[in-house]
Amino acid sequence: MSSNITLSAGVRQNLLSLQNTADLMATTQNRLATGKKVNSALDNPSNFFTSQSLGDRAGDLNSLLDSIGQAVKTIEAANNGITSLTKLVQSAKSIAQQARSATASAATYDALNVTGTLPSEIIGSTIAGGANDLSAKPVNLSFTNLSETVSTTSGSVAFANDAAVAAAFPGTNANDGTIQINVTTGGTSTTFNVALANPAIATRAGLLAAFNSATDGSGNTLASFGVTATFDGTDHLTLTSNSADTDFQISAGGSGSTAATLTALGLSAGSFNSTSLLDRVIANGGAAGTSNLILSVSGQSDKTVTFGNSGGQVSTIAELQSWLNSNRGAATASIAGTTFSMSLGAGTGNALGFNASDVGVAKALGLDAAAANYNFGTGARGGMGSALSKSFNSDLTLGELDTSLASGTNISITVDANDGTGPQTQTVGLAGTDNLNAVVAKLKANASLGANLDITNVAGKLQIVAKTADVDFSIAAGSTTTALNLTAGAYNSTSLMDRIIAGGGAEGDVMTVSANGGFAQTITFGKGMGQVSTRAEFTQALGNLSGVTTSVTGSAFQVGVASGSSQTTLTIGGSTNTLITLGTSAQTKTGTKHDGTPNSTRESLQKDFNDVLSQIDGLSKDASYNGINLLNGDNLKITFNERGTSTLTITGVTYNASNLGLNKQNGNAFQDNTLVDQVIDSINNALTTLRTQASKFGSNLSTVQVRQDFTKQMVNTLQTGADNLVLADTNEEGANMLALQTRQQLSTTALSLANQANQAVLRLFG
């Protein structure tokens, strides 16, 4: 509503000035009262809202400082927990170390074995077969000796019955008389007078008895001394020498015999001589009493027989037969008719030998024959010849097997030792007189054959065998090979190395053996120096291994370690295919422990150790702060800005004893140093884990503290910035207030002066 009062210009001007001053003073007073120069958006919209935004952010960050501070305490609690856990783990280590120092119980560990089966090897070999080889043969000798003859004579008168005898000798005629017979037996002679007269000789029996019982006056009868009277098949009286060494002579009538008696019997006077073996010897140049024969039979000393009529001497074949039966030893001997035979069974070294003193003996026995039947193959061994001495051996010679070899021969054998030198052919010279032992000796004397082949006489058969499974050999065809009854051709061996290659292995493959934690010992397969290619070499290589026991029985082999007081282990390694061929595999075996009497100190320390682990479990659960336990699996997330875009998540851990790798020990664990050592190793690992995690928590704490300081500084910066936008300068505002007060006073004075002018006019009317 407008005023109807009209003010003068001066008054109005002063009034307006005073009003403006009052307004400014009010504004200044408000700034001094609030401390801000911008108290609303009307004062300075830009500064007001900017300051408000900065202040809000400062407030938000300031509220985050509380949660950051709590996070710091949570981390500190976890760090304190780790420190305490470390002390407990160190205490557990001390206990374990005390147990390790205490006397351990006398534990034992099992022996260990690894077995395998060696593949079969083929050793190249051959042996003579069949009849035509040099195996010992029976010595079957047969010689044609000169025959003996026995003297005999028969009368011309037949005496068919007793009547004929009675008629010839009635006892009343001249027929009664004497027959005188001179008998020589074994060089001794005597005379028998046979008296013929009735009635003693009236019968056939009486006639024979008169002859056979006639005596020489010395107690000898005609029949016992060497001549026997019989009737022949035509009933004629016959006188016969009892042996080839007996001769007899019938005296003529008037010379000791009665002529009529001789006529009645039909006998003729004369000499009737036998031909004995001794006679044959003498007839062919020998002499009674000096000619002899030495008989050699394997298995006994030489025996000598002398041909003659003295005591112990031999004069007839029958006597020689009797002597042979007493002195032949292991041989058999017989003389049947004109066949003189001796035999000796087959056997290495068996022999029959004859040594005659003169050709008369050789002739008489047929030992000078050009051939002797020895019942083998073809050909002949011959007699003694002019040497008058020969041994007939059970072991044959090459010349006896094949007469074409008699003057010498050779045999060729090729050897390949598979040592890189290739096949080597060896030709060995042999003599026709070589028996099997001589052949063996000459073949073995060859350096190459002797080094690579076992050459032996096996029951009289030549056998050739490769010494190792690396050796191959072949025998060339030829008459010597045939004579020895060997089969020409190749005889190849198959070695262990050959089997390995066939199984997919290769030269240079290895088998390793390690015992009780020792270094690995290596067996290398191949044909080089120090390498293994045969079962024999493999056996030797096993024997050279140290720290293990080894054996090879047949095809089975074994590698083992003995039981002991410390942990036993056995490790087999190597090339897979080779190990498969050897019937084994790569493997490690560990001996089972058998505890002795437990040590009480160790038992107590084991209980203490387990108690410490229980404390570790309890402490890890108690390390929580404000409901968060970084040592029991909880995670901690910390927000660093008002938008939640800057955070740090600290991952918790579960540090009970088990998760630290520490387990309570049961049974007699602490009695075993090895197990205690393992526990100590676990403790060391646990300490490393705790120290590592403590470092992580320390790093996390440092990071959080840095962010805490940063946030504090940021809040201060934001607050200062916000205040800088709205706070008033009190000095300036105070000066303004003083100036405004002065100005107000001046305005009041000016207004008063203006009013005084108006009052002066008024006074004009008063």
Side-chain angles (χ1 to χ4, degrees):
M1 180 176 177
S2 60
S3 176
N4 292 322
I5 299 174
T6 301
L7 299 178
S8 64
V11 173
R12 187 174 295 279
Q13 183 64 39
N14 287 321
L15 181 58
L16 289 174
S17 176
L18 186 60
Q19 288 176 338
N20 287 336
T21 298
D23 289 339
L24 289 174
M25 285 183 67
T27 298
T28 299
Q29 287 174 348
N30 186 42
R31 288 177 178 176
L32 288 173
T34 62
K36 296 180 179 180
K37 64 179 179 181
V38 178
N39 285 296
S40 68
L42 295 176
D43 295 330
N44 188 331
S46 175
N47 285 6
F48 177 81
F49 287 113
T50 299
S51 175
Q52 188 179 51
S53 175
L54 292 174
D56 291 343
R57 185 183 178 200
D60 293 340
L61 290 177
N62 194 52
S63 65
L64 289 176
L65 282 174
D66 293 336
S67 64
I68 293 174
Q70 293 301 305
V72 169
K73 294 303 179 182
T74 301
I75 297 172
E76 287 178 349
N79 192 54
N80 292 335
I82 284 182
T83 300
S84 298
L85 285 176
T86 300
K87 292 178 180 179
L88 287 175
V89 172
Q90 288 172 337
S91 176
K93 181 178 180 180
S94 176
I95 293 171
Q97 288 175 330
Q98 289 180 60
R100 184 65 172 81
S101 299
T103 301
S105 60
T108 59
Y109 295 82
D110 285 341
L112 301 171
N113 289 295
V114 171
T115 61
T117 303
L118 296 173
S120 62
E121 288 186 324
I122 298 174
I123 304 295
S125 66
T126 183
I127 187 169
N132 294 322
D133 53 46
L134 288 177
S135 60
K137 299 295 189 298
V139 182
N140 296 319
L141 303 175
S142 179
F143 302 96
T144 302
N145 55 276
L146 299 178
S147 64
E148 288 184 319
T149 62
V150 177
S151 59
T152 185
T153 184
S154 297
S156 59
V157 177
F159 299 94
N161 48 48
D162 291 342
V165 175
F169 297 97
T172 59
N173 59 27
N175 288 351
D176 292 341
T178 300
I179 300 296
Q180 187 180 72
I181 303 174
N182 183 268
V183 180
T184 302
T185 298
T188 301
S189 297
T190 189
T191 300
F192 296 89
N193 291 309
V194 181
L196 298 176
N198 263 327
I201 60 168
T203 64
R204 282 167 54 102
L207 179 61
L208 293 180
F211 275 92
N212 290 330
S213 61
T215 64
D216 62 353
S218 299
N220 296 315
T221 64
L222 179 63
S224 66
F225 198 75
V227 177
T228 301
T230 62
F231 287 109
D232 66 11
T234 58
D235 299 322
H236 295 89
L237 178 66
T238 302
L239 299 177
T240 304
S241 297
N242 291 344
S243 76
D245 198 32
T246 300
D247 301 330
F248 66 92
Q249 182 180 14
I250 301 175
S251 300
S255 299
S257 295
T258 304
T261 303
L262 289 174
T263 301
L265 294 174
L267 293 175
S268 300
S271 296
F272 303 94
N273 296 326
S274 299
T275 305
S276 67
L277 176 61
L278 177 60
D279 294 333
R280 295 296 191 189
V281 170
I282 295 171
N284 286 283
T290 58
S291 292
N292 60 48
L293 176 70
I294 299 173
L295 175 64
S296 300
V297 179
S298 295
Q300 68 174 19
S301 59
D302 291 350
K303 307 293 183 179
T304 302
V305 59
T306 301
F307 296 94
N309 291 314
S310 299
Q313 296 180 347
V314 166
S315 63
T316 66
I317 287 177
E319 291 174 344
L320 179 61
Q321 176 71 59
S322 178
W323 182 87
L324 288 173
N325 287 337
S326 299
N327 295 279
R328 59 184 169 77
T332 61
S334 66
I335 302 177
T338 58
T339 303
F340 169 39
S341 301
M342 286 200 76
S343 297
L344 185 62
T348 301
N350 280 1
L352 280 174
F354 300 102
N355 191 340
S357 62
D358 52 60
V359 70
V361 175
K363 286 282 188 181
L365 295 177
L367 298 179
D368 63 341
N373 175 21
Y374 56 93
N375 296 340
F376 174 77
T378 59
R381 290 182 169 185
M384 295 187 298
S386 60
L388 299 180
S389 177
K390 189 169 185 179
S391 181
F392 298 89
N393 300 310
S394 184
D395 300 309
L396 304 179
T397 66
L398 290 175
E400 289 173 335
L401 289 170
D402 185 343
T403 55
S404 69
L405 306 179
S407 60
T409 183
N410 58 54
I411 184 172
S412 293
I413 301 176
T414 300
V415 176
D416 186 354
N418 284 298
D419 56 2
T421 60
Q424 305 291 322
T425 299
Q426 308 296 319
T427 300
V428 179
L430 303 173
T433 56
D434 286 342
N435 62 14
L436 182 55
N437 286 335
V439 171
V440 169
K442 288 182 177 180
L443 292 177
K444 291 174 69 173
N446 179 278
S448 179
L449 298 182
N452 294 288
L453 303 175
D454 281 322
I455 304 169
T456 53
N457 175 346
V458 178
K461 297 184 179 184
L462 179 62
Q463 177 174 277
I464 302 176
V465 181
K467 285 189 173 180
T468 72
D470 278 337
V471 176
D472 303 326
F473 68 94
S474 61
I475 303 174
S479 57
T480 306
T481 301
T482 301
L484 294 171
N485 204 23
L486 295 173
T487 301
Y491 299 90
N492 295 326
S493 301
T494 301
S495 67
L496 174 62
M497 189 69 247
D498 294 331
R499 296 294 192 193
I500 288 174
I501 292 173
E507 291 190 33
D509 282 357
V510 299
M511 172 181 172
T512 60
V513 178
S514 178
N516 297 329
F519 68 92
Q521 302 175 79
T522 301
I523 297 175
T524 303
F525 296 91
K527 297 178 180 178
M529 183 67 66
Q531 295 181 335
V532 168
S533 64
T534 66
R535 285 173 63 164
E537 291 173 345
F538 181 72
T539 300
Q540 182 179 1
L542 284 181
N544 291 335
L545 295 176
S546 62
V548 295
T549 59
T550 62
S551 66
V552 178
T553 304
S555 61
F557 73 89
Q558 177 176 283
V559 179
V561 294
S563 60
S565 58
S566 58
Q567 180 64 65
T568 54
T569 60
L570 180 59
T571 300
I572 303 296
S575 308
T576 300
N577 290 337
T578 295
L579 293 179
I580 291 174
T581 302
L582 296 177
T584 186
S585 61
Q587 57 189 286
T588 296
K589 289 188 173 183
T590 302
T592 301
K593 179 187 176 184
H594 302 280
D595 292 321
T597 303
N599 179 287
S600 59
T601 300
R602 289 194 175 212
E603 285 182 326
S604 177
L605 290 171
Q606 180 174 316
K607 181 179 181 303
D608 293 343
F609 177 83
N610 290 338
D611 290 343
V612 170
L613 296 193
S614 297
Q615 292 300 316
I616 290 174
D617 290 341
L619 191 150
S620 66
K621 293 177 182 178
D622 294 339
S624 64
Y625 178 84
N626 198 23
I628 297 176
N629 190 344
L630 292 176
L631 298 183
N632 197 33
D634 295 339
N635 296 331
L636 174 63
K637 183 176 182 180
I638 307 169
T639 301
F640 294 121
N641 65 17
E642 70 281 7
R643 296 184 300 277
T645 58
S646 177
T647 62
L648 173 64
T649 299
I650 298 175
T651 303
V653 293
T654 303
Y655 275 171
N656 53 33
S658 177
N659 286 344
L660 286 172
L662 305 178
N663 298 306
K664 291 185 177 181
Q665 302 302 302
N666 300 316
N668 294 323
F670 263 35
Q671 304 298 325
D672 186 343
N673 284 339
T674 300
L675 294 180
V676 174
D677 289 339
Q678 291 175 0
V679 168
I680 292 174
D681 289 341
S682 298
I683 292 173
N684 289 333
N685 292 335
L687 288 172
T688 300
T689 299
L690 289 171
R691 289 164 183 154
T692 300
Q693 189 60 43
S695 176
K696 289 182 180 179
F697 281 158
S699 176
N700 291 334
L701 180 59
S702 295
T703 300
V704 173
Q705 287 175 333
V706 168
R707 290 305 301 260
Q708 184 182 41
D709 292 340
F710 170 76
T711 301
K712 288 179 180 179
Q713 293 171 357
M714 193 65 183
V715 168
N716 184 61
T717 299
L718 291 172
Q719 193 62 55
T720 300
D723 289 343
N724 288 339
L725 290 174
V726 297
L727 290 181
D729 185 345
T730 55
N731 292 326
E732 179 183 354
E733 295 304 327
N736 288 339
M737 178 59 73
L738 182 58
L740 289 173
Q741 287 176 344
T742 301
R743 185 174 170 187
Q744 183 181 40
Q745 291 175 359
L746 291 175
S747 295
T748 301
T749 301
L751 179 60
S752 177
L753 291 176
N755 283 331
Q756 288 178 5
N758 289 331
Q759 289 176 358
V761 172
L762 182 59
R763 281 194 302 267
L764 291 178
F765 292 96

